[in-house]
Amino acid sequence: MMNILSPSILAADVANLGEQITAADKAGAQYIHIDVMDGTFVPSISYGMNVVQGLRKVTDKVFDVHLMITEPIRYIEEFAKAGSDIITFHLEAASDVQAVIDKIHSLGKKAGISIKPATPVSELLPYLDKVEMILVMTVEPGFGGQAFMPPCGEKVKELRGILNERGLSTDIEVDGGIYLSNLKEVLDDGANVIVSGSGIFKGDVTEIVSEYLKIMA
């Protein structure tokens, strides 16, 4: 199973977004993580499909799009058309989880499912073999710059154990409070797709991405 770095542009400098994404791309980051917030499922509002479409001209890296929106099935087609490669939605936000997964797959995209810190791993069990990636939020979704919540690391361990028991090599993504200082810990827990925003974009992007990738190798 490959370790993958997915820098979150939520923490990037909007005035230099294209340049910062290009820097992360050239430094070797495999994915670009794009958070979409509707102001309802989470308090904040962020990028929409027009931003995904615009940034598609800047890089051909995998667009890892994280929908923090209520009833995400309403917008799956638009985000697929805009250039998303992986579309992740929240278990807690969908009234028909399987229908959302099926919609994503019908458009030729990979499906991810995410849970908040308070949602137990047990709620994911019916969908473990239905998606390509599971995102365990390690902070409360909606705001960047929060501290990593250690109990979420235990959830990652639990989830990886269940996947291994079932013979599944599904990617486990973690998002929230991940820096160079705790990166090895979350990898050891069983995560293999690492989202980091403030940890990457608040300094020299090229240098920091290289440091992340060294540890992830």
Side-chain angles (χ1 to χ4, degrees), residues 159-200:
L159 178 59
R160 181 57 73 196
I162 295 168
L163 290 170
N164 287 343
E165 284 171 9
R166 295 190 179 190
L168 298 171
S169 56
T170 311
D171 288 331
I172 298 179
E173 183 172 56
V174 283
D175 181 1
I178 298 166
Y179 296 86
L180 288 167
S181 58
N182 62 350
L183 173 57
K184 187 176 185 306
E185 180 185 333
V186 295
L187 292 169
D188 289 345
D189 287 339
N192 70 297
V193 182
I194 305 298
V195 177
S196 183
S198 302
I200 289 174

Short mmCIF file of all heavy atoms in Angstrom, two decimals, residues 159-200:
data_model
loop_
_atom_site.label_atom_id
_atom_site.label_comp_id
_atom_site.label_asym_id
_atom_site.label_seq_id
_atom_site.Cartn_x
_atom_site.Cartn_y
_atom_site.Cartn_z
N LEU A 159 -9.76 0.79 12.51
CA LEU A 159 -10.22 0.64 11.13
C LEU A 159 -9.24 -0.19 10.30
O LEU A 159 -9.65 -1.10 9.56
CB LEU A 159 -10.42 2.02 10.50
CG LEU A 159 -10.86 2.07 9.04
CD1 LEU A 159 -12.18 1.33 8.84
CD2 LEU A 159 -10.98 3.52 8.58
N ARG A 160 -7.95 0.09 10.45
CA ARG A 160 -6.96 -0.67 9.67
C ARG A 160 -6.99 -2.14 10.07
O ARG A 160 -6.87 -3.04 9.21
CB ARG A 160 -5.55 -0.08 9.87
CG ARG A 160 -4.46 -0.80 9.08
CD ARG A 160 -4.73 -0.83 7.58
NE ARG A 160 -4.53 0.44 6.93
CZ ARG A 160 -4.98 0.72 5.72
NH1 ARG A 160 -5.68 -0.18 5.03
NH2 ARG A 160 -4.78 1.92 5.18
N GLY A 161 -7.21 -2.40 11.35
CA GLY A 161 -7.30 -3.78 11.81
C GLY A 161 -8.47 -4.51 11.16
O GLY A 161 -8.33 -5.66 10.71
N ILE A 162 -9.61 -3.85 11.08
CA ILE A 162 -10.80 -4.46 10.48
C ILE A 162 -10.58 -4.70 8.98
O ILE A 162 -10.92 -5.75 8.44
CB ILE A 162 -12.05 -3.58 10.70
CG1 ILE A 162 -12.39 -3.51 12.20
CG2 ILE A 162 -13.25 -4.11 9.92
CD1 ILE A 162 -13.41 -2.43 12.55
N LEU A 163 -10.00 -3.70 8.30
CA LEU A 163 -9.72 -3.85 6.87
C LEU A 163 -8.78 -5.03 6.63
O LEU A 163 -8.99 -5.83 5.70
CB LEU A 163 -9.12 -2.56 6.31
CG LEU A 163 -10.05 -1.35 6.21
CD1 LEU A 163 -9.27 -0.09 5.87
CD2 LEU A 163 -11.16 -1.57 5.18
N ASN A 164 -7.75 -5.14 7.45
CA ASN A 164 -6.80 -6.25 7.31
C ASN A 164 -7.50 -7.59 7.51
O ASN A 164 -7.26 -8.55 6.76
CB ASN A 164 -5.65 -6.10 8.30
CG ASN A 164 -4.69 -4.98 7.91
OD1 ASN A 164 -4.69 -4.52 6.77
ND2 ASN A 164 -3.88 -4.54 8.85
N GLU A 165 -8.38 -7.66 8.52
CA GLU A 165 -9.12 -8.90 8.78
C GLU A 165 -9.96 -9.31 7.58
O GLU A 165 -10.14 -10.50 7.30
CB GLU A 165 -10.03 -8.71 10.00
CG GLU A 165 -9.31 -8.72 11.34
CD GLU A 165 -10.23 -8.32 12.48
OE1 GLU A 165 -11.46 -8.21 12.25
OE2 GLU A 165 -9.73 -8.10 13.59
N ARG A 166 -10.49 -8.31 6.88
CA ARG A 166 -11.36 -8.58 5.73
C ARG A 166 -10.58 -8.70 4.43
O ARG A 166 -11.18 -8.87 3.35
CB ARG A 166 -12.40 -7.46 5.60
CG ARG A 166 -13.37 -7.40 6.78
CD ARG A 166 -14.52 -6.46 6.51
NE ARG A 166 -15.47 -6.40 7.61
CZ ARG A 166 -16.65 -5.81 7.55
NH1 ARG A 166 -17.05 -5.23 6.41
NH2 ARG A 166 -17.46 -5.79 8.59
N GLY A 167 -9.26 -8.56 4.49
CA GLY A 167 -8.45 -8.67 3.29
C GLY A 167 -8.59 -7.49 2.35
O GLY A 167 -8.41 -7.63 1.14
N LEU A 168 -8.91 -6.32 2.91
CA LEU A 168 -9.11 -5.11 2.11
C LEU A 168 -7.91 -4.17 2.24
O LEU A 168 -7.42 -3.93 3.34
CB LEU A 168 -10.38 -4.37 2.57
CG LEU A 168 -11.70 -5.14 2.43
CD1 LEU A 168 -12.83 -4.39 3.12
CD2 LEU A 168 -12.04 -5.35 0.95
N SER A 169 -7.46 -3.65 1.11
CA SER A 169 -6.32 -2.72 1.11
C SER A 169 -6.79 -1.28 0.88
O SER A 169 -6.08 -0.47 0.30
CB SER A 169 -5.31 -3.12 0.04
OG SER A 169 -5.94 -3.18 -1.24
N THR A 170 -7.99 -0.99 1.34
CA THR A 170 -8.59 0.35 1.18
C THR A 170 -7.69 1.43 1.78
O THR A 170 -7.12 1.24 2.86
CB THR A 170 -9.96 0.38 1.89
OG1 THR A 170 -10.71 -0.77 1.48
CG2 THR A 170 -10.73 1.63 1.56
N ASP A 171 -7.55 2.54 1.07
CA ASP A 171 -6.78 3.67 1.60
C ASP A 171 -7.48 4.25 2.82
O ASP A 171 -8.71 4.41 2.84
CB ASP A 171 -6.65 4.77 0.55
CG ASP A 171 -5.70 4.42 -0.58
OD1 ASP A 171 -4.76 3.63 -0.35
OD2 ASP A 171 -5.90 4.92 -1.71
N ILE A 172 -6.69 4.59 3.84
CA ILE A 172 -7.19 5.35 4.98
C ILE A 172 -6.52 6.71 4.94
O ILE A 172 -5.29 6.83 5.02
CB ILE A 172 -6.90 4.67 6.33
CG1 ILE A 172 -7.59 3.31 6.43
CG2 ILE A 172 -7.37 5.58 7.48
CD1 ILE A 172 -7.34 2.57 7.73
N GLU A 173 -7.35 7.73 4.82
CA GLU A 173 -6.88 9.12 4.80
C GLU A 173 -7.13 9.73 6.17
O GLU A 173 -8.13 9.43 6.82
CB GLU A 173 -7.62 9.90 3.71
CG GLU A 173 -7.16 11.34 3.56
CD GLU A 173 -7.78 12.02 2.34
OE1 GLU A 173 -9.03 12.04 2.25
OE2 GLU A 173 -7.04 12.51 1.49
N VAL A 174 -6.20 10.59 6.61
CA VAL A 174 -6.39 11.35 7.84
C VAL A 174 -6.24 12.83 7.53
O VAL A 174 -5.41 13.22 6.71
CB VAL A 174 -5.40 10.92 8.94
CG1 VAL A 174 -5.81 9.61 9.58
CG2 VAL A 174 -3.98 10.82 8.41
N ASP A 175 -7.05 13.64 8.21
CA ASP A 175 -7.09 15.08 7.91
C ASP A 175 -7.33 15.83 9.21
O ASP A 175 -8.36 15.65 9.85
CB ASP A 175 -8.22 15.35 6.91
CG ASP A 175 -8.35 16.81 6.53
OD1 ASP A 175 -7.55 17.64 7.01
OD2 ASP A 175 -9.26 17.13 5.74
N GLY A 176 -6.35 16.67 9.57
CA GLY A 176 -6.53 17.55 10.72
C GLY A 176 -5.39 17.48 11.72
O GLY A 176 -5.16 16.44 12.34
N GLY A 177 -4.64 18.57 11.84
CA GLY A 177 -3.61 18.65 12.86
C GLY A 177 -2.40 17.78 12.62
O GLY A 177 -1.72 17.38 13.56
N ILE A 178 -2.11 17.48 11.35
CA ILE A 178 -0.97 16.61 11.04
C ILE A 178 0.21 17.46 10.55
O ILE A 178 0.10 18.21 9.59
CB ILE A 178 -1.37 15.53 10.02
CG1 ILE A 178 -2.46 14.65 10.62
CG2 ILE A 178 -0.15 14.69 9.64
CD1 ILE A 178 -3.17 13.79 9.64
N TYR A 179 1.32 17.30 11.27
CA TYR A 179 2.54 18.05 10.99
C TYR A 179 3.71 17.07 10.92
O TYR A 179 3.55 15.88 11.20
CB TYR A 179 2.79 19.09 12.09
CG TYR A 179 1.72 20.16 12.16
CD1 TYR A 179 0.55 19.95 12.89
CD2 TYR A 179 1.86 21.36 11.47
CE1 TYR A 179 -0.44 20.92 12.95
CE2 TYR A 179 0.88 22.34 11.51
CZ TYR A 179 -0.27 22.12 12.25
OH TYR A 179 -1.25 23.07 12.28
N LEU A 180 4.88 17.57 10.59
CA LEU A 180 6.07 16.72 10.56
C LEU A 180 6.29 16.04 11.91
O LEU A 180 6.75 14.90 11.98
CB LEU A 180 7.31 17.54 10.17
CG LEU A 180 7.38 17.98 8.71
CD1 LEU A 180 8.46 19.03 8.52
CD2 LEU A 180 7.62 16.79 7.78
N SER A 181 5.91 16.72 12.99
CA SER A 181 6.15 16.22 14.34
C SER A 181 5.34 14.98 14.70
O SER A 181 5.77 14.17 15.52
CB SER A 181 5.87 17.32 15.36
OG SER A 181 4.53 17.77 15.22
N ASN A 182 4.16 14.81 14.10
CA ASN A 182 3.33 13.63 14.44
C ASN A 182 3.02 12.76 13.21
O ASN A 182 2.20 11.85 13.29
CB ASN A 182 2.03 14.05 15.14
CG ASN A 182 1.13 14.93 14.28
OD1 ASN A 182 1.54 15.39 13.22
ND2 ASN A 182 -0.09 15.16 14.73
N LEU A 183 3.68 13.02 12.11
CA LEU A 183 3.42 12.29 10.86
C LEU A 183 3.71 10.80 11.02
O LEU A 183 2.89 9.95 10.64
CB LEU A 183 4.26 12.88 9.73
CG LEU A 183 4.25 12.16 8.39
CD1 LEU A 183 2.82 12.02 7.84
CD2 LEU A 183 5.14 12.88 7.38
N LYS A 184 4.85 10.44 11.60
CA LYS A 184 5.20 9.03 11.75
C LYS A 184 4.16 8.30 12.60
O LYS A 184 3.80 7.14 12.32
CB LYS A 184 6.59 8.88 12.36
CG LYS A 184 7.06 7.43 12.37
CD LYS A 184 8.47 7.28 12.88
CE LYS A 184 8.95 5.84 12.78
NZ LYS A 184 8.04 4.88 13.44
N GLU A 185 3.66 8.98 13.60
CA GLU A 185 2.66 8.37 14.50
C GLU A 185 1.40 7.96 13.74
O GLU A 185 0.89 6.86 13.91
CB GLU A 185 2.31 9.38 15.60
CG GLU A 185 1.30 8.91 16.60
CD GLU A 185 0.92 10.01 17.59
OE1 GLU A 185 1.75 10.92 17.83
OE2 GLU A 185 -0.20 9.96 18.11
N VAL A 186 0.90 8.86 12.86
CA VAL A 186 -0.34 8.52 12.14
C VAL A 186 -0.09 7.45 11.07
O VAL A 186 -0.97 6.65 10.80
CB VAL A 186 -1.04 9.77 11.54
CG1 VAL A 186 -1.51 10.70 12.64
CG2 VAL A 186 -0.17 10.52 10.57
N LEU A 187 1.10 7.45 10.51
CA LEU A 187 1.45 6.37 9.58
C LEU A 187 1.49 5.03 10.31
O LEU A 187 0.98 4.02 9.82
CB LEU A 187 2.80 6.65 8.92
CG LEU A 187 2.87 7.84 7.95
CD1 LEU A 187 4.32 8.14 7.60
CD2 LEU A 187 2.05 7.60 6.69
N ASP A 188 2.07 5.03 11.50
CA ASP A 188 2.14 3.81 12.31
C ASP A 188 0.76 3.33 12.72
O ASP A 188 0.53 2.12 12.88
CB ASP A 188 3.00 4.04 13.55
CG ASP A 188 4.50 4.17 13.24
OD1 ASP A 188 4.89 3.82 12.11
OD2 ASP A 188 5.25 4.65 14.11
N ASP A 189 -0.18 4.25 12.89
CA ASP A 189 -1.55 3.89 13.24
C ASP A 189 -2.25 3.14 12.11
O ASP A 189 -3.21 2.41 12.33
CB ASP A 189 -2.38 5.14 13.58
CG ASP A 189 -2.02 5.75 14.93
OD1 ASP A 189 -1.44 5.02 15.77
OD2 ASP A 189 -2.31 6.94 15.14
N GLY A 190 -1.78 3.37 10.86
CA GLY A 190 -2.37 2.66 9.73
C GLY A 190 -2.89 3.54 8.62
O GLY A 190 -3.41 3.05 7.62
N ALA A 191 -2.73 4.86 8.78
CA ALA A 191 -3.13 5.76 7.70
C ALA A 191 -2.08 5.73 6.59
O ALA A 191 -0.90 5.53 6.85
CB ALA A 191 -3.27 7.18 8.22
N ASN A 192 -2.53 5.90 5.34
CA ASN A 192 -1.55 5.95 4.24
C ASN A 192 -1.76 7.14 3.30
O ASN A 192 -0.93 7.39 2.44
CB ASN A 192 -1.54 4.64 3.45
CG ASN A 192 -2.79 4.43 2.62
OD1 ASN A 192 -3.89 4.32 3.18
ND2 ASN A 192 -2.66 4.38 1.31
N VAL A 193 -2.87 7.88 3.48
CA VAL A 193 -3.08 9.12 2.71
C VAL A 193 -3.12 10.26 3.73
O VAL A 193 -3.99 10.29 4.60
CB VAL A 193 -4.37 9.08 1.88
CG1 VAL A 193 -4.52 10.36 1.06
CG2 VAL A 193 -4.39 7.86 0.95
N ILE A 194 -2.17 11.15 3.62
CA ILE A 194 -1.96 12.18 4.63
C ILE A 194 -2.35 13.55 4.09
O ILE A 194 -1.78 14.03 3.11
CB ILE A 194 -0.48 12.21 5.08
CG1 ILE A 194 -0.02 10.83 5.55
CG2 ILE A 194 -0.27 13.29 6.14
CD1 ILE A 194 -0.74 10.27 6.74
N VAL A 195 -3.32 14.16 4.76
CA VAL A 195 -3.71 15.53 4.42
C VAL A 195 -3.03 16.47 5.41
O VAL A 195 -3.06 16.23 6.62
CB VAL A 195 -5.24 15.72 4.50
CG1 VAL A 195 -5.62 17.18 4.22
CG2 VAL A 195 -5.94 14.78 3.52
N SER A 196 -2.42 17.51 4.91
CA SER A 196 -1.85 18.55 5.77
C SER A 196 -2.00 19.88 5.06
O SER A 196 -1.71 19.99 3.87
CB SER A 196 -0.37 18.26 6.07
OG SER A 196 0.14 19.24 6.95
N GLY A 197 -2.50 20.86 5.79
CA GLY A 197 -2.68 22.20 5.23
C GLY A 197 -1.69 23.18 5.81
O GLY A 197 -0.71 23.56 5.18
N SER A 198 -1.93 23.57 7.06
CA SER A 198 -1.04 24.52 7.75
C SER A 198 0.38 23.98 7.81
O SER A 198 1.35 24.75 7.72
CB SER A 198 -1.55 24.79 9.17
OG SER A 198 -2.87 25.31 9.14
N GLY A 199 0.51 22.67 7.98
CA GLY A 199 1.84 22.06 8.07
C GLY A 199 2.66 22.21 6.82
O GLY A 199 3.89 22.12 6.86
N ILE A 200 2.01 22.44 5.68
CA ILE A 200 2.72 22.56 4.40
C ILE A 200 2.75 23.99 3.88
O ILE A 200 3.79 24.49 3.47
CB ILE A 200 2.07 21.62 3.36
CG1 ILE A 200 2.39 20.15 3.71
CG2 ILE A 200 2.55 21.94 1.93
CD1 ILE A 200 1.69 19.12 2.85
#
